[in-house]
């Protein structure tokens, strides 16, 4: 009898749980509802967006639902959403995904929406980001949320000890940079010169270095690679020597972003090449006298600074959205100068509209000085991207795997480099053949 | 007689050593997690020096976890989904396990094979079609979607396990009950289940934990952060460039508590529910 | 939404009633062997109906779909161009340069992890089988590794085994076991070892709990009889203990092997398959490939290969361990 009672109780509990489970925690249906997904959520961002969406609702009456997915799984989630035609109306996207998204037809061209307001945007946006998108994909697909530029973070205190004279305004060349890395390496003090990245993304800074020897280009007009000559191989070896000569810990062969930044802030490495976003981490974890930012090194060949400029979480509209016009309104609202500068200050980015004016936060004495300086430098050139085709599988695989094989001594430098650039060349040529009328992307300057 | 005593002491000594070994193996990483959750971020990432006890003990991480990251709702979501899953799976696998164990019928082996095959299907190949189905049913971004997925994901294993537990109970027990005039169902509930209790509890625990720890479905089926389960919420602490180690460890430690409590009580129920079985020495 | 709730509840209740109903009709006869009555024939199916229905609904379609996609050129980036391409996906798979390394890693990973978990789990279960003070609290602690999410464990290990600021190197150095730091995650062989270590740590409680539950259901009288007969401890272990828990052990090893073979989250988190694919296994490779190349035909082909391998393994394993005979005694 007791057991039957227990069984009945169990069934009741189950039903109760099911009811609890089935109860949603959301929302009533309203006329226009937009879904917005944030691919790099944090309490700060969530608070900012929810507040901004409230303001938006008061102004336009459109409700926006804030969805988010942890950064690590963001690419995968967007893939699943895209494959099942469930993409949110407005997405924050990383530039590296655009090749896939445009190929799969998941994002909407925005040139018509932008129309005449193009002049409101800073030249970094129009001349660099949008020009690149038009060359690569034939149209503009994203509105940047803020501009992000790379710089070299350096341990100011170590540099002083090593007698290095680093002047942010003057800048430096790649030879200076390599020199500094070797000088900052001091095994006796457990110090390494550089946060060498060996895992995913390792090829990115190396690619920039290689293109700096070719004026920022990687392909000739017919698609054949410019990075397969002896000069490139020598440069490849010089870059990898940083690891092989012990300027980075042995572990670095498998380092990702997290390890790089952690080790710089934690006092193990002396330099770190990374985006301006990292400045916020440094501000939070290090003292002012410990770090500084140098602009990216100038090419030894033509003295120009080769640097990538992009928006980390640019806004785009999904092609399956049923409220494209409302979605555009939201993007417009988010990129309004007052909202944009508030957002950029929170996230460590550089504003995208010219109306921003001269905010001292971005002035020559602020933490972002080196980045702003580069953006205003007439000698800054943005090298080409890997290509308009889908290269994500290479980025997740062979690009860094080939480097690792060389570092482990299993392959020659020549083989490692050629494997990658030849594959890029193959894909570029196929893209040109399949898309008549398209041409190879050119490096871009601001002026 | 003396031989026996020495043997017993040796046995106990060896047993004690083994227990100590496992305790250390388990506790050392957990200790590390706990002290990390009480360290400041600067101390955590300090690469020049590793501290084995926080220099400055701070509860900042926990405060942030609950205030800033809304850990309470994550815990609630996880608990609701996991308990429901555990109950439902246990119930269904008792039925299924009994059927598989006590009967010989056509298609039994195929059924078993099918159960096993479901365990072999790589997750991502299941999640995408399932996502489409759930979207059509309007189940996306609900706890129900997770509940359904977890029940189905954990069911085959639990059914098979329950079957193996059933098989160990000699049929003579039930036979005796039939002779006394019990119906099949009554004998199942009054005779077999009590003996099976350790197994049932084990299965519930496994189903619960299977749901508690799951990450991928939680990321894919849930869109808004108020419905995040604990693993998904903790994953959001991994940013592009930095990991909030302290808060992450605090979250991990807190996530242990429900399961730790369950494990403690599991033993209690197991001992109390036994009618025959504990080894007396 | 509510529809599904009712549907599930309905199935459960219907089955319960069905069983009760049939019981009342057929009386108290023994039903161990299949008899002629239709209703009796239907009983096992009724018990299994809810389970099978749910499984078929959710796994059936993806399973069939995966088999079809494995033979198709199915890329998310070209949704208009889906066509059958025979064995091309499989050929592409096998022509991956590091495929033999990845396969070797997969086997090493599975075999060592399962063996490690089994031996250690069994030892722990046997040690726990006797009452001792604070056993409840001890159990609450020692089973904890199972209650961590894989990614938390992965992160912890990634951090602890870091060559520079990791705890493991620090401890080993202090104890003078090594003289210079080991780059755990950056050295081929070691990176896989770290993943295996993490997997074993996580999986011991599973084996321990299963075997413990089995151990504690062994009838007392059997042991008592063996004492009276003057049985030695070793013989007692093999003839009685092991024989009783054999079905559980077989099931546990079987399932754990399948799960570990298919698991990739630890690898992706700790080493990302590196360096140079030295800790990459087939499932982690498939996971990376599927989401980076958007080639679901290829991913499905790999998935099919994995499933076929596992089916072969299961069949062979069950035959060898004579599982079907082990249950009856």
């Amino acid at each position: 009898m007791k057991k039957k009672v227990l069984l009945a109780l169990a069934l009741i509990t189950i039903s109760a749980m099911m009811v609890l489970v089935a109860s949603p925690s959301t929302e009533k249906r309203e006329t226009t509802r937009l879904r917005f997904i944030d691919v790099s959520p944090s309490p700060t961002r969530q608070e900012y967006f929810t507040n901004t969406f409230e303001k938006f609702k008061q102004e336009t009456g459109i409700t926006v639902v804030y969805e988010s997915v942890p950064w690590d799984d963001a690419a995968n989630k967007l893939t699943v959403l895209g494959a099942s035609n469930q993409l949110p109306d407005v997405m924050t996207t990383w530039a590296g995904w655009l090749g896939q998204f445009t190929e799969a037809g998941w994002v909407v061209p925005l040139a018509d929406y932008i129309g005449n307001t193009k002049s409101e945007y800073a030249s970094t946006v129009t001349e660099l980001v949008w020009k690149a998108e038009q060359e690569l994909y034939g149209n503009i697909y994203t509105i940047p949320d803020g501009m992000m530029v790379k710089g070299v973070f350096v341990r100011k205190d170590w540099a002083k000890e090593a007698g290095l004279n680093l002047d942010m305004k003057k800048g430096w060349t790649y030879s200076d940079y390599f020199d500094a890395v070797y000088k900052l390496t001091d095994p006796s003090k457990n110090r390494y010169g550089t946060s060498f990245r060996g895992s995913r993304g390792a090829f990115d800074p190396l690619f920039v270095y290689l293109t700096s020897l070719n004026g920022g280009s990687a392909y000739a007009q017919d698609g054949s690679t410019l990075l397969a000559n002896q000069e490139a191989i020598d440069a490849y070896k010089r870059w990898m020597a940083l690891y092989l000569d012990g300027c980075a810990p042995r572990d670095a062969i498998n380092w990702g972003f997290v390890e790089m930044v952690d080790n710089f802030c934690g006092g193990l490495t002396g330099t770190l090449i990374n985006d301006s976003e990292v400045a916020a981490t440094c501000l939070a974890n290090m003292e002012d006298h410990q770090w500084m930012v140098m602009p990216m090194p100038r090419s030894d060949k033509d003295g120009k600074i080769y640097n990538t400029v992009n928006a980390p979480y640019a806004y785009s509209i999904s092609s399956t959205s049923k409220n494209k016009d409302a979605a555009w309104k939201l993007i417009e609202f988010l990129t309004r100068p007052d909202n944009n500068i508030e957002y950029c200050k929170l996230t460590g980015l550089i504003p995208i509209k010219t109306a921003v004016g001269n905010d001292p936060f971005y002035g020559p004495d602020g933490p972002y000085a080196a980045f702003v300086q580069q953006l205003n430098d007439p000698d800054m050139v943005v090298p080409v991207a890997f290509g308009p085709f889908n290269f994500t599988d290479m980025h997740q695989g062979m690009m860094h795997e080939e480097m690792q094989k060389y570092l482990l001594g299993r392959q020659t430098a020549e083989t490692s480099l050629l494997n990658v650039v030849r594959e890029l060349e193959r894909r570029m040529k196929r893209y040109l053949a399949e898309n008549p009328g398209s041409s190879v992307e050119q490096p871009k300057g601001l002026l | 007689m003396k031989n026996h005593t020495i043997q017993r002491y040796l046995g106990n000594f060896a047993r004690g050593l083994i227990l100590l070994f496992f305790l250390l193996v388990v506790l050392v990483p957990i200790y590390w997690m706990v002290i990390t959750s009480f360290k400041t971020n600067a101390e955590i990432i300090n690469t020049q020096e590793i501290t084995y006890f926080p220099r400055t003990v701070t509860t900042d991480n926990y405060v942030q976890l609950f205030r800033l990251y809304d850990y309470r709702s994550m815990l609630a979501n996880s608990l609701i989904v996991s308990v429901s899953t555990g109950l439902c799976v246990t119930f269904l696998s008792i039925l299924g396990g009994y059927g598989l164990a006590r009967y010989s019928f056509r298609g039994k082996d195929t059924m078993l094979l099918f159960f096993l095959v479901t365990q072999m299907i790589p997750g991502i190949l299941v999640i995408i079609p399932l996502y489409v189905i759930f979207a059509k049913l309007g189940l996306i971004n609900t706890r129900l979607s997770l509940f359904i997925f977890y029940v189905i994901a954990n069911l085959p294993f639990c059914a098979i396990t329950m079957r193996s537990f059933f098989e160990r109970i000699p049929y003579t027990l039930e036979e005796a009950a039939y002779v006394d005039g019990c119906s099949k169902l009554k004998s199942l509930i009054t005779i077999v289940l009590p003996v099976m209790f350790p197994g049932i509890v084990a299965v519930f625990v496994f189903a619960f934990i299977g749901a508690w720890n799951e990450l991928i479905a939680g990321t894919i089926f849930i869109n808004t952060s108020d419905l995040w389960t604990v693993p998904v919420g903790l994953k959001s602490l991994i940013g592009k460039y930095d990991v909030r180690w302290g808060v992450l460890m605090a979250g991990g430690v807190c996530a242990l508590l429900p399961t730790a409590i369950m494990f403690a009580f599991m033993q209690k129920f197991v001992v109390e529910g036994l009618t025959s079985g504990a080894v007396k020495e | 939404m509510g529809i599904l709730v009712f549907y599930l509840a309905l199935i459960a209740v219907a089955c319960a009633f069905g069983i009760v109903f049939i019981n009342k009709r057929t009386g108290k006869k023994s039903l161990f062997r299949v008899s002629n009555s239709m209703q009796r024939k239907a009983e096992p199916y009724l018990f299994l109906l809810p389970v099978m229905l749910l499984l078929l609904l959710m796994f059936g379609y993806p399973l069939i779909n995966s088999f079809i996609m494995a033979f198709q050129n199915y890329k998310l980036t070209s949704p208009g161009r889906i066509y059958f391409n025979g064995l091309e996906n499989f050929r592409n798979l096998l022509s991956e340069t590091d495929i033999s390394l990845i396969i070797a890693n997969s086997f090493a990973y599975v075999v060592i992890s399962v063996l490690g978990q089994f031996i250690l789990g069994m030892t722990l279960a046997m040690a726990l089988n006797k009452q001792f003070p604070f056993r409840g609290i001890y159990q609450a602690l020692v089973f904890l590794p199972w209650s961590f999410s894989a990614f938390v464990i992965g992160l912890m290990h990634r951090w602890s085994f870091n060559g520079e600021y990791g705890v493991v190197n620090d401890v080993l150095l202090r104890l003078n076991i090594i003289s210079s730091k080991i780059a755990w995650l950056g050295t081929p062989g070691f990176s896989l070892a770290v993943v295996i270590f993490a997997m074993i740590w996580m999986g011991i409680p599973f084996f321990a709990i299963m075997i413990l539950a089995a151990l504690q259901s062994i009838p007392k009288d059997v042991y008592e009889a063996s004492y009276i007969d003057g049985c030695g401890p070793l013989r007692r272990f093999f003839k009685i203990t092991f024989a009783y828990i054999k079905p559980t052990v077989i099931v546990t090893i079987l399932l754990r092997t399948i799960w570990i073979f298919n698991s990739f989250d630890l690898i992706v988190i700790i080493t990302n398959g590196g360096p140079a694919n030295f800790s990459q296994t087939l499932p982690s490779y498939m996971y990376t490939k599927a989401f980076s190349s958007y080639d679901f035909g290829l991913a499905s082909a790999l998935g099919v290969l994995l499933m076929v391998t596992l089916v072969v393994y299961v069949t062979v394993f069950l035959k060898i361990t004579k599982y079907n005979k082990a249950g009856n005694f």
Side-chain angles (χ1 to χ4, degrees), chain A residues 76 103 251 254 259 263 404, chain C residues 77 158 163 165 185 276 287 294:
Chain A
N76 298 347
E103 227 184 312
D251 232 13
N254 218 13
E259 278 86 7
N263 279 310
Q404 287 170 335
Chain C
T77 45
R158 173 163 156 190
Y165 54 70
L185 302 177
Y287 179 78
Y294 279 13

Side-chain angles (χ1 to χ4, degrees), chain A residues 56-239:
Chain A
F56 183 66
K57 181 167 175 196
Q58 279 167 7
E59 277 192 28
T60 62
I62 304 176
T63 321
V64 186
V65 176
Y66 176 78
E67 297 179 7
S68 55
V69 53
W71 166 255
D72 229 34
D73 300 309
N76 298 347
K77 171 118 191 211
L78 287 179
T79 308
V80 174
L81 291 177
S84 37
N85 287 332
Q86 293 286 321
L87 285 169
D89 303 281
V90 179
M91 307 187 285
T92 48
T93 49
W94 182 56
W97 301 333
L98 272 181
Q100 289 167 297
F101 288 4
T102 49
E103 227 184 312
W106 290 345
V107 282
V108 164
L110 298 175
D112 289 336
Y113 285 109
I114 299 173
N116 293 329
T117 61
K118 215 171 179 188
S119 51
E120 290 175 20
Y121 293 85
S123 50
T124 43
V125 177
T126 52
E127 298 308 311
L128 300 177
V129 176
W130 283 347
K131 255 222 187 111
E133 280 186 27
Q134 276 161 325
E135 271 184 49
L136 286 170
Y137 314 118
N139 204 317
I140 302 175
Y141 287 95
T142 63
I143 307 292
D145 57 324
M147 300 311 295
M148 190 169 70
V149 174
K150 284 199 173 42
V152 184
F153 294 81
V154 183
R155 286 295 303 242
K156 200 156 63 172
D157 44 356
W158 294 10
K160 232 185 234 161
E161 278 179 38
L164 288 170
N165 218 352
L166 297 176
D167 182 1
M168 182 192 82
K169 294 208 173 60
K170 236 178 45 180
W172 51 354
T173 62
Y174 269 104
S175 306
D176 295 331
Y177 168 68
F178 289 140
D179 194 44
V181 168
Y182 280 94
K183 287 220 173 82
L184 288 171
T185 308
D186 190 347
S188 66
K189 292 207 190 109
N190 202 26
R191 287 182 184 177
Y192 294 91
T194 173
S195 267
F196 189 88
R197 192 187 324 164
S199 187
R200 199 182 313 175
F203 195 64
D204 299 355
L206 176 50
F207 186 73
V208 170
Y209 175 50
L210 292 175
T211 57
S212 74
L213 302 166
N214 292 296
S217 290
Y219 306 95
Q221 272 308 313
D222 65 345
S224 42
T225 181
L226 298 172
L227 304 179
N229 52 17
Q230 189 57 43
E231 186 184 36
I233 297 176
D234 288 337
Y236 187 87
K237 283 198 194 144
R238 214 174 310 138
W239 179 271

Side-chain angles (χ1 to χ4, degrees), chain B residues 21-263:
Chain B
F21 167 73
F22 279 108
L23 195 63
L24 279 175
V25 162
V26 165
L27 282 190
V28 164
I30 296 182
Y31 168 75
W32 190 249
M33 269 182 75
V34 172
I35 56 165
T36 306
S37 68
F38 286 106
K39 286 185 187 174
T40 61
N41 203 41
E43 200 182 331
I44 297 174
I45 62 173
N46 188 340
T47 55
Q48 296 294 354
E49 202 190 336
I50 301 173
T51 51
Y52 289 89
F53 194 81
R55 211 157 279 138
T56 40
V57 175
T58 165
T59 53
D60 215 23
N61 294 321
Y62 287 91
V63 170
Q64 280 197 0
L65 185 66
F66 281 92
R67 289 235 186 98
L68 212 52
Y69 290 96
D70 198 14
Y71 194 64
R72 216 170 296 138
S73 79
M74 292 187 222
L75 273 179
N77 291 329
S78 271
L79 269 175
I80 294 176
V81 172
S82 301
V83 172
S84 319
T85 306
L87 289 174
C88 190
V89 168
T90 311
F91 176 67
L92 288 176
S93 56
I94 291 178
L95 292 178
Y98 190 74
L100 282 171
R102 286 289 179 254
Y103 297 92
S104 179
F105 54 90
R106 200 170 46 184
K108 177 173 171 179
D109 281 341
T110 332
M111 221 180 255
L112 267 171
L113 195 62
F114 178 66
F115 277 25
L116 285 174
V117 166
T118 59
Q119 299 297 288
M120 303 177 196
I121 307 177
I124 49 170
L125 294 179
V126 176
I127 286 202
I128 298 186
L130 211 56
Y131 188 91
V132 178
I133 297 176
F134 280 169
K136 290 217 175 84
L137 292 172
L139 286 176
I140 294 297
N141 211 38
T142 62
R143 281 181 286 239
L144 188 58
S145 63
L146 291 182
F147 168 71
I148 298 176
F149 182 76
Y150 293 157
V151 165
I152 292 164
N154 287 296
L155 196 47
F157 154 65
C158 291
I160 295 180
T161 308
M162 202 58 100
R163 173 206 181 198
S164 80
F165 286 144
F166 271 120
E167 278 177 346
R168 268 181 303 103
I169 314 287
Y171 188 65
T172 45
L173 274 176
E174 285 163 75
E175 246 174 353
Y178 295 145
V179 167
D180 285 347
C182 275
S183 77
K184 199 161 190 54
L185 191 66
K186 188 152 178 240
S187 75
L188 172 65
I189 296 178
T190 52
I191 308 289
V192 180
L193 287 190
V195 178
M196 284 276 304
F197 210 62
I200 294 179
V201 172
V203 163
F204 174 82
V205 168
F206 282 128
F208 177 90
I209 291 188
W212 184 258
N213 282 339
E214 203 281 336
L215 177 63
I216 298 186
T219 323
I220 301 282
F221 293 140
I222 300 293
N223 289 336
T224 51
S225 54
D226 57 340
L227 285 176
W228 276 353
T229 55
V230 169
V232 182
L234 291 183
K235 195 109 195 261
S236 77
L237 292 164
I238 302 180
K240 207 154 111 189
Y241 297 114
D242 65 346
V243 179
R244 308 290 317 274
W245 293 108
V247 187
L248 189 59
M249 292 293 129
V253 167
C254 289
L256 288 181
L257 290 175
T259 42
I261 296 175
M262 262 198 335
F263 283 141

Side-chain angles (χ1 to χ4, degrees), chain A residues 376-396:
Chain A
N376 291 322
D377 192 332
D379 276 341
M380 192 188 84
V381 178
V382 178
V384 300
F386 290 120
F389 43 80
N390 180 14
F391 52 77
T392 311
D393 55 327
M394 293 178 69
H395 201 258
Q396 304 260 53

